[in-house]
Structure formats: structure tokens, C-alpha cells
């Protein structure tokens, strides 16, 4: 049946992207997973925390299967953005374990419901949804944030990829500097000729 195939395919990709997100933290010191690496404060551990909170909502509240744990209100303007970074009292282990508990809860929801099971997302302009919509949404969001994590990790130690077995091999820094210089030259030449 196409519906079951689609559900399992999307669910499988979501599972893989979750693992990618956590792999981006492996081998890094505490400071590097927490520190803001962009102007807006994006950081690796914050991405995990953010995904935990939103995945628990999407596969929990949306389908009347609330995640068993405290979640910040989605409509609390004072708390906006607090889900994107870890306080000094939140440990790496707590956030990672929380994300894994969210996976278990989400996986149970996905397994229990048909792909066309109805849900309700009060923060969306068109709140009536199906499990299919939420699977696609969470796969997209998790993949998007895995891309952010990939760039952040590259900034920290040069490693890229979606899993250890696909990681870009570490090159001599001179290799990357030469590649960067070639790209920079091409950018300047494009501007000069345009």
C-alpha cells in the first residue's frame, strides 16, 4: 500500500536526520557545542533542544498525544527563542536524553496512527492537518537544522557530512585555503565582468 510505504519512507528519513543532528555533537568539548557561532546565536546544542521541543509538540499535542514532560508554551512571547540555546544548568546529557525520549514518543505516535490521521496545529494559518503533513514538516525542519549543524561543525573543526561513514576526510589546511582562494577569485571575477 502506498500510504504505508510513504509513512515508513518519511519516518526512516526522519530517524536518519535525528542521528545526524546528534552526530554533529560527538567529540566536541562543552564550550563548542554551546557557544553562539552566528550573529543570531545559533549553536549545536541549541539546535538539539529546539528540535526536541518542536518535535514533541508536533507528534504530541497536534494529535492529542501530549509528550509526558513540561514544555514551554508555544505562544509565550517572553520565552520566544529560549528553545534555541542551553542554559548553564542544562547538561548535554539531559538535552540529548530528552531528544531521545521525544523520538520514542514521536515514533509511537507515527506507528499508532494512519498517514491520513487528522491533527490540529493551532499555530498554523490552516490548522487542520494529517500525519502526512507533520511527517513532511518535521523531516524538512530536522533536515534544515542538520544543514545548519553541518556548517557550524565545519566552522569548529572542518568536519562535514551526515554520518561518520560519509564524513568529508580531513584535508591539509593548505588544501582548503587553496580551494577557498579559487572560489574567492571566481567570485571577484564574476563581479568584475558583470
Amino acid at each position: 500500500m502506498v500510504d504505508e510505504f510513504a509513512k515508513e519512507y518519511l519516518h526512516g528519513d526522519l530517524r536518519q536526520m535525528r542521528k545526524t543532528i546528534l552526530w554533529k555533537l560527538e567529540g566536541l568539548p562543552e564550550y563548542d557545542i554551546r557557544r553562539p557561532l552566528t550573529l543570531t546565536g545559533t549553536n549545536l546544542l541549541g539546535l538539539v533542544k529546539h528540535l526536541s521541543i518542536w518535535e514533541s509538540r508536533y507528534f504530541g499535542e497536534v494529535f492529542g498525544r501530549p509528550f509526558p514532560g513540561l514544555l514551554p508554551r508555544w505562544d509565550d512571547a517572553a520565552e520566544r527563542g529560549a528553545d534555541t540555546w542551553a542554559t548553564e544548568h542544562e547538561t548535554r546529557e539531559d538535552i540529548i536524553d530528552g531528544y531521545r525520549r521525544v523520538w520514542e514518543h514521536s515514533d509511537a505516535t507515527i506507528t499508532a496512527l494512519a498517514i491520513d490521521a487528522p491533527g490540529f496545529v493551532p499555530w498554523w494559518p490552516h490548522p487542520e492537518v494529517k500525519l502526512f503533513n507533520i511527517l513532511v514538516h518535521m523531516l524538512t525542519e530536522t533536515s534544515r537544522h542538520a544543514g545548519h549543524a553541518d556548517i557550524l561543525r565545519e566552522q569548529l573543526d572542518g568536519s562535514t557530512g551526515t554520518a561518520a561513514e560519509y564524513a568529508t576526510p580531513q584535508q591539509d589546511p593548505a588544501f582548503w585555503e587553496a580551494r577557498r582562494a579559487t572560489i574567492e577569485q571566481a567570485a571577484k571575477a564574476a563581479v568584475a565582468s558583470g
Side-chain angles (χ1 to χ4, degrees):
M1 167 184 255
V2 172
D3 288 349
E4 277 306 307
F5 172 80
K7 183 172 104 167
E8 190 49 44
Y9 186 87
L10 293 169
H11 193 188
D13 281 0
L14 178 60
R15 286 182 184 118
Q16 184 56 46
M17 283 297 102
R18 291 168 175 163
K19 291 177 188 173
T20 296
I21 289 288
L22 290 186
W23 177 65
K24 293 299 175 181
L25 304 177
E26 285 183 17
L28 291 176
E30 196 67 26
Y31 177 68
D32 283 346
I33 65 169
R34 292 172 173 270
R35 68 181 168 129
L37 294 165
T38 68
L39 182 64
T40 60
T42 305
N43 63 90
L44 290 167
L45 194 58
L47 290 173
V48 175
K49 181 179 174 182
H50 172 75
L51 285 168
S52 297
I53 290 170
W54 284 97
E55 183 172 322
S56 66
R57 281 197 177 105
Y58 279 112
F59 290 112
E61 294 171 39
V62 166
F63 295 102
R65 299 169 60 95
F67 180 73
L70 288 176
L71 292 174
R73 291 280 314 149
W74 61 268
D75 56 354
D76 184 353
E79 288 296 313
R80 197 156 289 135
D83 65 325
T84 60
W85 60 281
T87 70
E88 66 273 18
H89 304 294
E90 295 173 301
T91 69
R92 173 194 305 233
E93 294 76 20
D94 288 344
I95 290 174
I96 290 171
D97 289 347
Y99 193 32
R100 287 192 170 119
R101 282 192 313 280
V102 166
W103 298 357
E104 290 173 12
H105 185 262
S106 297
D107 290 348
T109 296
I110 294 165
T111 299
L113 301 178
I115 197 160
D116 63 348
F120 187 79
V121 185
W123 52 89
W124 283 12
H126 304 288
E128 303 289 335
V129 297
K130 305 283 185 201
L131 178 62
F132 173 80
N133 304 106
I134 299 305
L135 272 166
V136 170
H137 178 76
M138 278 313 304
L139 176 57
T140 302
E141 275 296 295
T142 306
S143 296
R144 177 175 164 251
H145 291 313
H148 295 144
D150 199 42
I151 291 169
L152 297 178
R153 182 66 188 250
E154 182 180 355
Q155 286 180 311
L156 291 167
D157 69 0
S159 71
T160 63
T162 58
E165 61 267 24
Y166 305 119
T168 302
Q170 296 295 321
Q171 298 282 345
D172 180 320
F175 169 87
W176 292 115
E177 187 51 43
R179 172 166 298 167
R180 190 180 180 292
T182 299
I183 297 167
E184 179 71 23
Q185 182 55 40
K188 288 179 179 177
V191 170
S193 68

